[in-house]
Amino acid sequence: MERLQKVIAASGIASRRKAEQMILEGLVKVNGTVVTELGTKVKDNDEIMVNGKPIAKETKEYYLLNKPRGVVTTTSDDKNRRTVVDLIQTSARIYPVGRLDYDTTGVILLTNDGDFANIIMHPKSNIDKVYVAKLNGIIKGEQINKLKDGVELDGQKVKPSRVKLKKADPEKNSSIVEITIHEGKNHQVKRMFESVGILVDKLKRIRVGIFELNDLGSGEYRKLTPKEVSIIYSLKK
Ligand code: URA
């Protein structure tokens, strides 16, 4: 379900503001009925007419990007920094599903399909988000155990579904840990490690559900296959 003015704007016939004006002026019909309420949500298969003409529906697009460092996970940035959307060649109004920090790299999905994005983001879908964290220091067994028991973030207990020490390098005083979480709280992985007393130097997301980087280089992307999209739809509760 999407907001009516957003769908009209996405069809390319008007800006969001102009679309709102047209709704208020009674020029928009949904399934044959005039709708003048701005918050109205519409489904994919609703027929929307503006000024008596059906609007063209934007086709759904789905991408998997290997996000580089130094790119923001938004559609536009007030500081004029490069965004994940700038890296993808399309005229569709895609947006990122969830977010990665400016300095975090790896798997990010982008789409213009709100239902698909909601399934990925919904806690009930229980989708794995797997990160590799390079830590500043050698993590101790007791710190890993504390993480496994769950730590408190924003007044809520969060537990990783898996934590695995991959490497400890006393010479470089760093460790590499793979951690799997299901939520998507702001700076979640960094804050989880911080709460057990160790800082994350580098963070890379290597998997979201069925989506892995495989041979995608930094800044490269690919379209999802129809099969992959239908697998995600099959998770809808
Ligand atoms: N957790 C973080 O701390 N940062 C990210 O970018 C993603 C998860």
Side-chain angles (χ1 to χ4, degrees):
M1 299 275 268
E2 302 257 32
R3 290 162 83 86
L4 183 54
Q5 57 266 42
K6 188 173 167 198
V7 176
I8 295 172
S11 78
I13 59 167
S15 65
R16 183 85 66 100
R17 186 163 300 176
K18 186 82 205 303
E20 288 177 354
Q21 217 178 319
M22 292 192 293
I23 295 169
L24 292 172
E25 285 170 11
L27 301 176
V28 177
K29 281 185 180 171
V30 177
N31 301 327
T33 306
V34 173
V35 169
T36 53
E37 201 169 317
L38 286 183
T40 304
K41 297 260 180 110
V42 288
K43 296 192 288 296
D44 253 6
N45 55 357
D46 284 335
E47 200 201 21
I48 300 159
M49 305 248 269
V50 176
N51 272 330
K53 286 195 201 121
I55 61 163
K57 291 230 173 95
E58 192 175 64
T59 50
K60 302 294 184 207
E61 296 188 8
Y62 308 87
Y63 297 93
L64 163 53
L65 168 72
N66 182 355
K67 178 192 172 296
R69 196 181 309 274
V71 174
V72 274
T73 311
T74 46
T75 48
S76 66
D77 184 53
D78 47 13
K79 293 189 198 131
N80 246 342
R81 293 173 297 183
R82 237 172 11 141
T83 74
V84 284
V85 172
D86 294 336
L87 299 180
I88 295 190
Q89 285 180 342
T90 178
S91 55
R93 292 167 189 240
I94 56 166
Y95 47 85
V97 181
R99 54 166 299 177
L100 291 178
D101 295 336
Y102 189 63
D103 58 353
T104 300
T105 61
V107 175
I108 183 95
L109 298 167
L110 298 103
T111 185
N112 54 353
D113 181 347
D115 289 337
F116 176 90
N118 285 338
I119 299 169
I120 299 273
M121 306 269 283
H122 203 289
K124 269 195 188 157
S125 306
N126 238 2
I127 287 182
D128 280 350
K129 291 157 192 134
V130 187
Y131 294 85
V132 174
K134 182 169 180 237
L135 305 175
N136 183 345
I138 305 289
I139 191 165
K140 300 190 189 85
E142 78 198 53
Q143 288 171 303
I144 290 187
N145 288 339
K146 265 195 201 165
L147 262 183
K148 283 183 175 165
D149 286 345
V151 294
E152 204 172 294
L153 296 184
D154 311 329
Q156 214 188 330
K157 194 158 179 175
V158 285
K159 251 188 194 186
S161 72
R162 192 165 169 265
V163 186
K164 194 163 193 297
L165 177 63
K166 304 291 268 186
K167 193 174 160 190
D169 187 339
E171 257 171 45
K172 291 193 181 138
N173 191 32
S174 72
S175 5
I176 308 279
V177 173
E178 194 175 292
I179 179 165
T180 304
I181 59 173
H182 287 158
E183 311 86 348
K185 291 182 182 297
N186 243 352
H187 313 303
Q188 182 167 335
V189 173
K190 291 177 188 167
R191 288 195 292 151
M192 285 171 84
F193 281 107
E194 203 178 326
S195 73
V196 299
I198 193 157
L199 294 179
V200 172
D201 268 346
K202 277 187 180 168
L203 189 61
K204 179 175 191 170
R205 185 154 72 179
I206 58 166
R207 180 164 72 82
V208 172
I210 56 170
F211 302 108
E212 293 186 79
L213 290 172
N214 294 323
D215 50 5
L216 278 184
S218 174
E220 290 181 346
Y221 63 90
R222 70 167 176 88
K223 282 193 167 178
L224 303 190
T225 65
K227 173 102 193 279
E228 288 172 327
V229 174
S230 73
I231 290 173
I232 296 307
Y233 267 94
S234 73
L235 302 175
K236 196 170 174 173
K237 298 278 188 265

